[in-house]
Amino acid sequence: MGYFNKAIETMSRAELETLQSERLKNLVAYVYERVPFYREKMNAMRVKPSDIHTIADIVKLPFTEKTDLRDNYPFGLFAVPEREVVRVHASSGTTGKLTVVGYTKADLDVWSEVMARSLTCAGVTADSTVHVSYGYGLFTGGLGAHDGASKIGARVVPASSGNTARQLMLLKDFKATTLCCTPSYAAYLGDALYENGYDIRDFSLKSGLFGAEPWTEEMRAEIEKKLRIKAYDVYGLSEIMGPGVSVECEAQNGMHVWEDHFFPEILDDDLQPAPYGEQGELVFTTLTKQALPLLRYRTKDICSLHVDPCPCGRTHVRMGKIMGRKDDMLIIRGVNVFPSQIETVLLQMGNVSPHYQLVVGRENNTDTLEVRVELAQGMFSDEVKHIEALRSDMESRLHSALGLSARVKLVEPNTIPRSEGKAVRVVDNRKL
């Protein structure tokens, strides 16, 4: 596969660091002058823009958290006059307060550029047809993928989310070659395709670009088997830009971060920089954003960074797969548990579908964990002893992987609620 912007995607690490250093100096001066929030934070730390000389000086700068955006709702962290903001997106949260992000025309140009690079990694060309099943609207997924495909010159089908029967009809009739949606919805489409009497051989799909939620290698295998495509992981978050912050190439040994625009760090539990290869919290600084520039934004996502050479020739650092989020991590009887750990065990076993839900409760002041998972089609009619053996084996493997016991409940196909956006994996009934 080729590159969308070979000069940038393959520039040497030394050239990239020089570019990052120059852009960081400009960014810090920009936010100090234009955003009172950052000026106050930097003054409190006794840091001036003149103290920033290279990208290594980023450790001198303050962190930004999602609560800072909500506390300054709606436009308090914007660095440009409102008349220069040409688009607004927002994401909801558990507090009910929206996290609002804004874009200048230049910001949108950068976004479409990095998303075009990302789609090119998944094989999209000007001859492709890209079916976008991310939601359009305040959520960044739909328009982000749409603009990136348009930048390449591909044909775009802006299907948005919902109405699965119609999605399948459009995918077949419009001869889509690339599908963009959440991985859980891709798995759902794979099931629905057969349930609605379609034959995957009548479709033209070759690849899929899936993001907005963590997913495992086992989920990838399920999707690739059902849709007969090559499935690529794409990462983004609205606060930093939207989808297209990083993406897998054909080597699929991590997601290349477009470091000329988004500088990544990994922090340990003490919020100190961790070396390449070590796992910790992912932090981003937006080196070129105009409307909503962010210094050292704590994503709460857990992963690692890798800088060893990639066979694809791209030199930008690679993110390992997101293990989970700090705020998605469950603490059950003192043990840290990520849904992705459980998904890996379930999908390695076979005879179950990729649709599951974790139900956390509390009995007699002790945490309980129930894993509800759908049996594969045809399994539910098997003898009770076979199902019981599967359930027992699953509980044993979960105990080995997690270090705590979990009760497995095997349910009939199509029992667990489906989502056409992000899957709801956890129901926590504890009063914490």
Side-chain angles (χ1 to χ4, degrees), residues 31-209:
V31 299
Y32 190 85
E33 177 186 346
R34 290 170 172 251
V35 186
F37 169 82
Y38 281 122
R39 185 163 56 250
E40 291 168 10
K41 276 208 161 193
M42 290 175 63
N43 286 342
M45 297 173 67
R46 297 184 179 178
V47 177
K48 300 293 185 187
S50 57
D51 297 323
I52 307 302
H53 305 287
T54 71
I55 195 67
D57 291 325
I58 200 165
V59 295
K60 301 176 182 178
L61 298 171
F63 293 113
T64 313
E65 305 204 29
K66 180 168 283 193
T67 53
D68 296 323
L69 276 72
R70 290 184 176 140
D71 290 346
N72 288 276
Y73 173 90
F75 307 136
L77 293 187
F78 284 12
V80 297
E82 288 182 33
R83 60 183 169 77
E84 294 181 26
V85 177
V86 299
R87 189 189 297 174
V88 174
H89 283 284
S91 62
S92 59
T94 54
T95 65
K97 199 76 164 243
L98 292 173
T99 300
V100 180
V101 295
Y103 304 79
T104 65
K105 185 179 183 305
D107 291 335
L108 292 182
D109 289 342
V110 168
W111 190 8
S112 62
E113 155 83 17
V114 296
M115 197 60 201
R117 296 182 200 173
S118 300
L119 285 161
T120 300
C121 284
V124 175
T125 69
D127 295 321
S128 301
T129 297
V130 180
H131 182 104
V132 181
S133 289
Y134 288 117
Y136 281 69
L138 289 177
F139 175 61
T140 56
L143 285 167
H146 185 124
D147 289 348
S150 295
K151 181 94 169 177
I152 293 171
R155 180 185 298 111
V156 184
V157 180
S160 193
S161 57
N163 199 337
T164 297
R166 182 169 171 267
Q167 299 267 0
L168 292 171
M169 180 187 73
L170 295 176
L171 281 165
K172 176 179 175 292
D173 295 346
F174 291 3
K175 296 180 170 59
T177 53
T178 297
L179 170 64
C180 296
C181 63
T182 62
S184 55
Y185 191 54
Y188 181 32
L189 284 171
D191 290 337
L193 185 148
Y194 295 101
E195 291 166 5
N196 283 270
Y198 287 99
D199 188 329
I200 190 60
R201 291 173 295 185
D202 296 329
F203 288 69
S204 304
L205 285 171
K206 297 177 181 177
S207 65
L209 199 64

Side-chain angles (χ1 to χ4, degrees), residues 92-386:
S92 59
T94 54
T95 65
K97 199 76 164 243
L98 292 173
T99 300
V100 180
V101 295
Y103 304 79
T104 65
K105 185 179 183 305
D107 291 335
L108 292 182
D109 289 342
V110 168
W111 190 8
S112 62
E113 155 83 17
V114 296
M115 197 60 201
R117 296 182 200 173
S118 300
L119 285 161
T120 300
C121 284
V124 175
T125 69
D127 295 321
S128 301
T129 297
V130 180
H131 182 104
V132 181
S133 289
Y134 288 117
Y136 281 69
L138 289 177
F139 175 61
T140 56
L143 285 167
H146 185 124
D147 289 348
S150 295
K151 181 94 169 177
I152 293 171
R155 180 185 298 111
V156 184
V157 180
S160 193
S161 57
N163 199 337
T164 297
R166 182 169 171 267
Q167 299 267 0
L168 292 171
M169 180 187 73
L170 295 176
L171 281 165
K172 176 179 175 292
D173 295 346
F174 291 3
K175 296 180 170 59
T177 53
T178 297
L179 170 64
C180 296
C181 63
T182 62
S184 55
Y185 191 54
Y188 181 32
L189 284 171
D191 290 337
L193 185 148
Y194 295 101
E195 291 166 5
N196 283 270
Y198 287 99
D199 188 329
I200 190 60
R201 291 173 295 185
D202 296 329
F203 288 69
S204 304
L205 285 171
K206 297 177 181 177
S207 65
L209 199 64
F210 307 125
E213 62 188 16
W215 51 305
T216 61
E217 290 302 318
E218 290 72 24
M219 175 71 89
R220 189 205 300 273
E222 286 277 333
I223 292 169
E224 292 185 336
K225 178 182 176 182
K226 290 174 179 175
L227 297 179
R228 296 191 183 179
I229 59 174
K230 189 171 177 69
Y232 294 84
D233 202 351
V234 65
Y235 175 87
L237 61 168
S238 58
E239 298 93 321
I240 300 304
M241 184 61 82
V245 172
S246 68
V247 72
E248 286 182 320
C249 63
E250 62 266 29
Q252 294 190 317
N253 59 351
M255 292 177 279
H256 289 281
V257 180
W258 303 125
E259 290 183 89
D260 52 323
H261 296 292
F262 318 112
F263 183 77
E265 301 173 80
I266 293 292
L267 303 183
D268 62 21
D269 290 339
D270 297 320
L271 299 185
Q272 297 301 309
Y276 287 125
E278 289 196 9
Q279 200 167 82
E281 182 183 348
L282 180 62
V283 170
F284 276 112
T285 296
T286 61
L287 296 175
T288 57
K289 272 182 81 174
Q290 294 180 344
L292 184 65
L294 295 178
L295 299 179
R296 307 189 81 194
Y297 182 77
R298 296 183 60 189
T299 68
K300 305 299 177 74
D301 287 329
I302 307 298
C303 72
S304 56
L305 294 176
H306 305 271
V307 76
D308 52 300
C310 183
C312 77
R314 293 176 179 86
T315 53
H316 293 233
V317 71
R318 302 185 312 282
M319 291 168 47
K321 244 189 187 316
I322 300 295
M323 180 181 175
R325 289 178 55 82
K326 275 196 168 182
D327 45 9
D328 282 347
M329 183 181 74
L330 296 165
I331 301 178
I332 301 173
R333 299 196 291 276
V335 177
N336 295 344
V337 176
F338 290 97
S340 58
Q341 294 173 287
I342 294 173
E343 180 177 301
T344 295
V345 172
L346 298 181
L347 296 185
Q348 281 176 344
M349 294 197 63
N351 295 324
V352 296
S353 82
H355 306 293
Y356 66 94
Q357 198 165 60
L358 315 181
V359 181
V360 187
R362 179 161 285 171
E363 296 176 5
N364 300 320
N365 295 318
T366 301
D367 293 336
T368 61
L369 173 61
E370 179 179 84
V371 179
R372 298 175 182 170
V373 59
E374 291 182 6
L375 285 165
Q377 291 287 349
M379 271 294 296
F380 209 80
S381 59
D382 276 12
E383 292 183 23
V384 172
K385 65 179 182 181
H386 292 155

